[in-house]
Amino acid sequence: MGKKENCVDKSSMRIRVDYNNMLSTAVGEHGITLEELEGMRERLKAALASANSKRDSMRWRDLYKTERDNLSNILEVAEFIRYRAENFVVLGIGGSALGPIAVQQAIAHLHHNDLGKAVTGCPRIFIEDNIDPERMAALLDVIDLDKTVFNVITKSGSTSETMSQLLIVTRMLLDRFGEKDLREHLVVTTDKEKGNLVGIARKYDLHTFVVPDGVGGRFSELCPVGLLPAAVAGIDISAMLDGAELMDHLCSHEEPEKNPALMLAGIEVLAMEKHGANIGVLMPYADSLKYIADWYAQLWAESLGKKKLEGGKMLRFGQTPVKALGVTDQHSQVQLYTDGPFDKTVTFIGVENFRKTVEIPHVFDDIPAVAFLSGHTLNELINAERVATEHAVTISGHMNKTILLPEVNEFTLGQLLMLFEMQTAFAGELLGIDAFDQPGVEEGKNATYALLGKPGYEEKLQELKSSSAKSDKYII
Ligand code: PA5
């Protein structure tokens, strides 16, 4: 169940980017100067042209078109799951889980699982993106296999975490239901031909959704990776694609001043290159957007955290993403963002209209220091605190910017996802790196295979053994 009817006036639902406070005109000597910004113009235009010329290998950018043909298929399977299941469990990690988590949190009721199917019309949703044995055991304690459908999501079909979850679940399902009925409980999302899941799905005739070519994990939310779990939760996936379409249109504009993702990429790269902003804080002021910060952290970190050999020198790139939540983290992190070092930018995400209004009643009117709150709403308070924090960060001289959503709904969320994806792609172009690979992650995956005895990784195991010798001297 969405928090409101899926009926959106799109003309008033465009999200806005305000980057005034990134500039020295607002924050002083640690901000980007107008000369620096002007000096970036040609580089921005070149980055746009280069990204456009690679559109064929950036298929994630076209998902709002290409997935339209797949929508009826996704909705049909989602409907079957909604009708049949009490529990829907996603097995996946990284790009195969963070998008579904973020979208579920943004659009579904914040206590979706507690409300129950009689109220929501949807199964409880669990997105299992870790292999903590206690977590897996805890999940199994609260779901009834008879009433559960699992969706295993892995583009590569080989990630150890997801495959071990799959082995555990499949063993139980086969023992309980036999081979014939496995398809009633297990849906697969993977590459169309590569990886181990393709053969497994064929063997058991499992319903299979495809992660299209040119769509990497962290750019996959708008394909079945994200669309199926969202549809199972009753989220309007067509409106999400509409939002992405609008943002792609805006981010195709040749003038950097009119292209939100290009400008965001430009000012963030300038902040890194010229002002030592090695850290990028993302701070949404809405619980519904809390996990957008997690999704963004992967997108930004995994895409830009790269090294490149140039002129015999190893260059290192990237900006460390930090997740924060307004107003909660005003009381834990903001002291650092005002009085701490000038090594970061802060990006606030604000929401103009919340889907619920909660009034603060008159109770202690005889205590002026408390009574001033009465008669206001929590809506006013949270937005006042966002504006106040922006002000505090600005007058302390720290670069910050705000992305403003008129409301959180499927249409604005689709815009936001596309905005960040495009920003990341443009930043990759500006830095001259490949934003779409992840060699460091692959290294960790390979070392895990070696440690657990996967055939073909014997040499890697030797390498691990020789490099992991530790001296007792440095262990207390
Ligand atoms: O963005 C990425 O490519 C990664 O984070 C992957 O999504 C993650 O490693 C999981 O990979 P897979 O979907 O192949 O299991």
Side-chain angles (χ1 to χ4, degrees), residues 93-96 154-156 159 162 217-218 298 302 438 441 445:
I93 198 162
S96 294
T154 162
K155 180 177 166 75
S156 62
T159 306
T162 308
R218 55 195 177 272
Q298 185 212 10
E302 219 168 88
Q438 53 284 323
V441 179
K445 285 185 179 185

Side-chain angles (χ1 to χ4, degrees), residues 77 80-81 88-89 91 149-153 166 173 182-189 197 201 206-209 228:
V77 174
F80 167 79
I81 295 168
F88 177 70
V89 181
L91 308 175
V149 173
F150 294 88
N151 178 199
V152 57
I153 307 179
L166 177 68
L173 292 174
L182 189 64
R183 74 186 313 274
E184 303 284 310
H185 295 273
L186 187 56
V187 175
V188 167
T189 307
L197 268 186
L206 303 178
H207 202 108
T208 304
F209 288 96
L228 179 65

Side-chain angles (χ1 to χ4, degrees), residues 17-34 36-37 263-272 274-275 277 279-281 300 319 344-348 390 393-394 397-403 423:
V17 173
D18 175 352
Y19 60 98
N20 275 286
N21 296 340
M22 292 292 288
L23 304 176
S24 58
T25 44
V27 294
E29 58 171 322
H30 296 288
I32 295 167
T33 65
L34 296 179
E36 285 168 346
L37 196 59
M263 186 51 80
L264 281 175
I267 54 180
E268 214 51 61
V269 167
L270 272 178
M272 285 182 231
K274 306 262 187 208
H275 298 275
I279 298 167
V281 179
W300 197 240
Q319 187 191 48
K344 60 184 77 62
T345 65
V346 181
T347 304
F348 298 103
E390 275 174 39
V393 171
T394 303
H398 287 81
M399 288 181 284
N400 66 92
K401 58 187 183 291
T402 298
I403 298 172
Q423 171 195 321

Side-chain angles (χ1 to χ4, degrees), residues 141-212:
D141 283 342
V142 298
I143 59 170
D144 174 353
L145 278 191
D146 287 291
K147 297 175 186 155
T148 301
V149 173
F150 294 88
N151 178 199
V152 57
I153 307 179
T154 162
K155 180 177 166 75
S156 62
S158 61
T159 306
S160 298
E161 294 88 341
T162 308
M163 295 314 276
S164 28
Q165 290 175 326
L166 177 68
L167 290 168
I168 293 164
V169 162
T170 310
R171 182 70 274 151
M172 289 189 313
L173 292 174
L174 286 174
D175 289 349
R176 176 82 69 95
F177 306 110
E179 290 193 7
K180 196 167 63 61
D181 286 338
L182 189 64
R183 74 186 313 274
E184 303 284 310
H185 295 273
L186 187 56
V187 175
V188 167
T189 307
T190 193
D191 190 85
K192 73 173 180 305
E193 53 199 15
K194 285 183 263 167
N196 307 303
L197 268 186
V198 178
I200 295 172
R202 244 181 243 136
K203 176 172 175 194
Y204 295 105
D205 191 25
L206 303 178
H207 202 108
T208 304
F209 288 96
V210 170
V211 185

